[in-house]
């Protein structure tokens, strides 16, 4: 690579080295684009030890998938650099990023920074998080099939999770952590499926040293024997880059994108969980591919237009 990291304009800077960012960088690297990946090394699924529903990789540690991705990128000259990106703007047809690696300039940028899951503020949660406490039934429900499952969530999210998890177990209890705010039809659905609704606040989780949940302790001394916990508290964008750039956000906090993963700001794309918080690993990776193809098509068109402009420019007169 010619020049230092601050002296060149990249074809694309990818921010985030999860499945979306790495897959996008792989496609762009194979298209012989100049790409660098800036990553904070704080993946959304840091607590997860196995990923599921990923064809050919079911049960693989997500950290291993990321390591394999980095190794594959190296074959195409794409570097993954640990760096925080703390500022961004689009000016004069290029994207300028401020980072702990120094200022960076690119023709396009792909935000693949993921989301940050909010977790229950309950003593004992850290011990079970990622082993027997989860957010996604499609990712981890099968591993807890026919077990005693607790759902910790309120409102429509709680009803949705409780109804969904009845697909994996006949013993599901919904913990609303205070007076429930379920609509009448939502309450009817969970009760019809035999899901008790417990409004008593949760005060602690008891788990073994191996991360297995054993009991959910409630205010007043009551305890429920449970084997797994699925929860929803909320999520938010991991960084403020999208806001700094002026990208429109959806009501759920994700970055609004079109079918080509383009945001509402020219030259800025987004893929993975930051654009779709519910996307599983294959969906996130696929959105990275879609973004990479769109970016490469755009850059190719710009390169061709620049070549035409250069060819049609009048030749300098001889002195």
């Amino acid at each position: 690579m010619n020049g230092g990291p601050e002296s060149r304009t990249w074809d694309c800077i990818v921010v985030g080295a999860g499945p979306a960012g790495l897959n996008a960088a792989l496609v762009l690297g194979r298209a012989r684009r100049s790409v660098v990946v800036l990553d904070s090394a704080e993946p959304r699924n840091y607590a997860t030890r196995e990923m599921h529903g990923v064809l050919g990789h079911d049960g693989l540690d997500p950290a291993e998938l990321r390591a394999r991705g980095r190794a594959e990128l190296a074959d195409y000259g794409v570097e993954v650099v640990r760096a925080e990106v703390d500022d961004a703007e689009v000016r004069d047809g290029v994207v300028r990023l401020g980072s702990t690696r120094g200022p960076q300039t690119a023709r396009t940028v792909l935000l693949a920074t993921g989301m940050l899951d909010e977790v229950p503020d309950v003593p004992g949660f850290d011990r079970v998080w990622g082993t027997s406490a989860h957010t996604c039934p499609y990712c981890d429900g099968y591993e807890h099939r026919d077990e005693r499952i607790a759902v910790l969530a309120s409102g429509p999210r709680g009803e949705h999770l409780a109804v969904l998890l009845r697909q994996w177990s006949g013993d599901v209890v919904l913990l609303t952590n205070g007076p429930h705010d379920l609509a009448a039809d939502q309450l009817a659905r969970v009760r019809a499926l035999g899901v008790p609704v417990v409004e008593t606040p949760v005060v602690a989780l008891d788990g073994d040293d191996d991360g297995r949940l054993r009991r959910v302790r409630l205010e007043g001394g009551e305890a429920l024997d449970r084997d797994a916990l699925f929860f929803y508290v909320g999520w938010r964008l991991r960084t403020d880059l999208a806001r700094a750039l002026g990208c429109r956000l959806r009501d759920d906090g994700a970055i609004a994108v079109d079918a080509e993963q383009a945001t509402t700001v020219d030259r800025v794309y987004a893929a993975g969980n930051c654009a779709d918080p519910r996307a599983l690993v294959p969906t996130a990776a696929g959105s990275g591919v879609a973004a990479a193809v769109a970016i490469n098509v755009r850059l190719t068109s710009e390169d061709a237009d620049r070549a035409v402009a250069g060819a049609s420019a009048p030749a300098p007169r001889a002195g």
Side-chain angles (χ1 to χ4, degrees):
M1 293 183 179
N2 298 323
E6 296 84 11
S7 64
R8 70 178 301 171
T9 297
W10 303 91
D11 286 330
C12 183
I13 294 175
V14 178
V15 185
L22 292 176
N23 217 352
L26 178 64
V27 172
L28 288 167
R30 286 180 52 81
R32 309 190 72 180
R33 289 294 177 186
S34 62
V35 186
V36 65
V37 181
L38 305 181
D39 183 53
S40 66
E42 296 179 342
R44 181 182 189 183
N45 58 3
Y46 69 92
T48 303
R49 300 167 190 176
E50 293 182 355
M51 62 181 185
H52 298 282
V54 185
L55 187 64
H57 297 297
D58 193 63
L60 185 71
D61 187 330
E64 176 63 21
L65 180 70
R66 295 191 295 271
R68 292 182 187 181
R70 284 180 167 85
E72 291 170 355
L73 290 180
D75 292 339
Y76 302 100
V78 178
E79 188 179 5
V80 179
V81 178
R82 181 165 185 173
E84 294 277 356
V85 180
D86 49 29
D87 190 25
E89 65 173 344
V90 180
R91 188 174 66 200
D92 301 327
V94 296
V95 187
R96 304 177 191 278
L97 302 179
S99 76
T100 53
R101 194 192 190 211
Q104 306 287 316
T105 304
R107 296 168 67 185
T108 59
V109 66
L110 173 63
L111 304 179
T113 52
M115 300 292 273
L116 187 63
D117 288 300
E118 297 179 15
V119 299
D121 183 17
V122 177
F125 175 80
D126 289 346
R127 173 175 284 190
V128 298
W129 177 214
T131 300
S132 56
H134 315 280
T135 60
C136 174
Y138 293 104
C139 302
D140 301 291
Y142 185 82
E143 282 60 48
H144 299 289
R145 63 196 182 277
D146 299 324
E147 292 184 351
R148 299 166 297 181
I149 295 175
V151 171
L152 180 58
S154 60
R157 296 281 186 187
E159 182 263 350
H160 173 73
L161 270 177
V163 169
L164 193 59
L165 281 158
R166 281 289 281 106
Q167 182 71 22
W168 284 274
S169 174
D171 188 350
V172 178
V173 60
L174 174 58
L175 308 175
T176 59
N177 211 24
H180 77 75
D181 53 355
L182 297 169
D185 61 330
Q186 295 166 347
L187 187 60
R189 282 159 60 86
V190 296
R191 285 179 171 170
L193 290 172
V195 176
V197 178
V198 177
E199 299 179 289
T200 308
V202 176
V203 296
L205 302 175
D206 292 343
D208 294 339
D209 290 339
D210 62 358
R212 297 291 174 183
L213 178 67
R214 293 307 176 201
R215 280 171 299 279
V216 176
R217 296 196 177 274
L218 305 177
E219 192 176 82
E222 185 182 357
L224 300 175
D225 292 334
R226 296 285 101 179
D227 304 304
L229 176 78
F230 285 80
F231 69 92
Y232 173 81
V233 178
W235 55 54
R236 57 184 171 84
L237 289 173
R238 184 173 290 280
T239 76
D240 287 327
L241 282 179
R243 293 185 181 89
L245 287 162
C247 300
R248 185 174 70 83
L249 304 183
R250 299 201 314 254
D251 291 342
D252 64 0
I255 304 170
V257 296
D258 64 14
E260 294 187 331
Q261 304 299 136
T263 72
T264 53
V265 176
D266 190 33
R267 300 188 178 277
V268 179
Y269 296 75
N273 286 152
C274 66
D276 182 359
R278 301 169 187 80
L280 305 187
V281 170
T283 308
S287 69
V289 173
V293 170
I295 289 169
N296 187 62
V297 168
R298 176 192 184 134
L299 297 179
T300 299
S301 179
E302 290 179 353
D303 293 341
D305 290 343
R306 190 174 294 116
V308 170
S312 61
R317 292 185 179 183

